[in-house]
Amino acid sequence: METDVKTILAECGFGFKKQLGQNFITDKNLLASIVALSGAEEYGAVVEIGCGAGTLTRALAEKVKKVISFEVDKTLAPVLDRTLNGLGNVEIIFKDFLKVDLAEFEKGLESYTVVANLPYYVTTPLIMKLIESSKKCKGLCVMVQEEVAERLCAKAGTSDYGAITAMVALRATCSIVKRVPRTLFIPRPKVDSAVVKFTFGDGIDVADAAMYKKTVHAAFGSRRKTLENNLVNSFSLSRQQAQEILADCGIDQKARGETLTPVQFARLSERISEYKN
Ligand code: SAM
């Protein structure tokens, strides 16, 4: 690319939309590092959510066979025409990724990995969509707010551990692979960021994913209440029934939801299912 991205954005009269989480990255070292850390080169196709001005899109396209990039803001089209000029392996789909029918989209693909600098206002729904609904997504490497990164990778019993941590554990393990200061984004956000890499296939086995989800959300429904109280309220159980279920699972009667590991949530959800049927 001859002209620099900031100049192209200005020449196209582009105005950043805060409500769409538009904090772009242009630093070449950071872009190269995200591509390398993602391991994207191993996959046939890379899906990007939110291509912005196309800087990460281009860095990916220079290393992988095919990039399919979703972007909700059509005003970026003239910018992308210039920044992605000359690349024959990039497909841009102007669509809200949350509205994409994943089953339909995946029909045309063998498998893919997702690499993205995610729009912060929808980080959790976007990650959960992939965790819960994708069949062919085999990897995920995303830039998120540092605080969200800590929550995604938290250990049971810590204050960062929450429903999202336990839900991700269904299909993947994850770790923070890079910390990124706010100074590397344009415009500069109020918080720092981190890159989180998910390894799919290292999840836990559950018989009924919907029941697992319900159990996790019940456990974290009211963090100050004991797990027993949350189970009574969420599953219409008597106190005695809730106590029996916890005892069967070897869980302390006074335990709080955040102390349970994902494997314990799985066992608990199975026991609740047995009890209810
Ligand atoms: N990838 C670019 C980069 O790293 O510079 C842009 C990242 S910026 C944090 C997030 C991008 O996602 C923005 O361009 C925004 O317009 C887009 N976006 C926001 N919500 C979206 C959604 N629901 N589906 C697809 N794109 C979205």
Side-chain angles (χ1 to χ4, degrees):
M1 209 181 340
E2 294 293 313
T3 320
D4 102 307
V5 176
K6 285 179 204 159
T7 308
I8 294 176
L9 285 165
E11 285 176 359
C12 292
F14 178 75
F16 286 92
K17 296 169 197 71
K18 201 177 169 192
Q19 71 275 19
L20 290 180
Q22 291 180 339
N23 300 100
F24 296 170
I25 43 177
T26 55
D27 185 278
K28 290 234 164 22
N29 292 331
L30 175 59
L31 291 164
S33 159
I34 295 171
V35 175
L37 288 165
S38 72
E41 285 168 68
E42 293 165 32
Y43 298 85
V46 177
V47 171
E48 185 190 19
I49 304 168
C51 56
T55 50
L56 182 57
T57 324
R58 175 170 272 275
L60 285 163
E62 283 168 353
K63 294 280 178 196
V64 306
K65 276 197 205 119
K66 166 101 184 152
V67 181
I68 304 168
S69 190
F70 289 88
E71 174 54 61
V72 76
D73 183 1
K74 289 197 178 112
T75 72
L76 283 161
V79 175
L80 293 165
D81 278 348
R82 290 178 62 184
T83 58
L84 302 179
N85 185 29
L87 292 171
N89 59 344
V90 178
E91 182 186 350
I92 304 289
I93 304 175
F94 283 103
K95 197 165 183 181
D96 178 342
F97 189 76
L98 289 175
K99 295 192 180 142
V100 171
D101 178 340
L102 267 192
E104 194 55 37
F105 170 67
E106 289 184 346
K107 271 185 193 162
L109 295 169
E110 286 242 325
S111 68
Y112 61 95
T113 188
V114 172
V115 182
N117 170 17
L118 288 180
Y120 293 165
Y121 75 109
V122 278
T123 302
T124 302
L126 288 170
I127 292 175
M128 285 319 300
K129 178 170 178 137
L130 291 163
I131 293 285
E132 294 188 296
S133 312
S134 72
K135 296 270 182 287
K136 296 185 179 174
C137 176
K138 303 292 179 207
L140 178 59
C141 187
V142 287
M143 174 104 74
V144 298
Q145 288 185 20
E146 198 167 34
E147 178 200 323
V148 177
E150 299 290 359
R151 284 214 298 276
L152 286 165
C153 306
K155 293 268 172 291
T158 63
S159 59
D160 285 330
Y161 186 66
I164 178 99
T165 329
M167 287 306 299
V168 164
L170 260 187
R171 277 193 69 190
T173 53
C174 59
S175 60
I176 294 176
V177 291
K178 191 176 185 66
R179 308 260 172 186
V180 183
R182 66 195 79 178
T183 48
L184 290 185
F185 295 82
I186 49 161
R188 186 185 295 191
K190 290 203 176 76
V191 292
D192 294 323
S193 293
V195 179
V196 177
K197 186 171 181 179
F198 296 65
T199 307
F200 279 56
D202 292 349
I204 49 166
D205 274 338
V206 284
D208 181 347
M211 190 57 160
Y212 177 90
K213 184 176 184 178
K214 202 172 168 203
T215 307
V216 166
H217 283 283
F220 288 103
S222 182
R223 283 185 89 115
R224 278 181 300 169
K225 287 192 180 149
T226 61
L227 183 57
E228 180 189 312
N229 277 334
N230 280 329
L231 293 186
V232 167
N233 293 336
S234 303
F235 292 99
S236 308
L237 296 166
S238 70
R239 195 150 295 283
Q240 193 193 340
Q241 287 172 325
Q243 285 170 358
E244 274 175 31
I245 289 172
L246 290 176
D248 289 350
C249 296
I251 298 167
D252 190 278
Q253 303 287 311
K254 296 272 176 292
R256 289 179 197 280
E258 70 251 34
T259 62
L260 265 61
T261 63
V263 171
Q264 285 177 304
F265 275 125
R267 172 77 191 104
L268 180 62
S269 69
E270 277 160 21
R271 189 71 196 95
I272 296 170
S273 293
E274 287 161 13
Y275 222 93
K276 288 268 164 199
N277 294 324

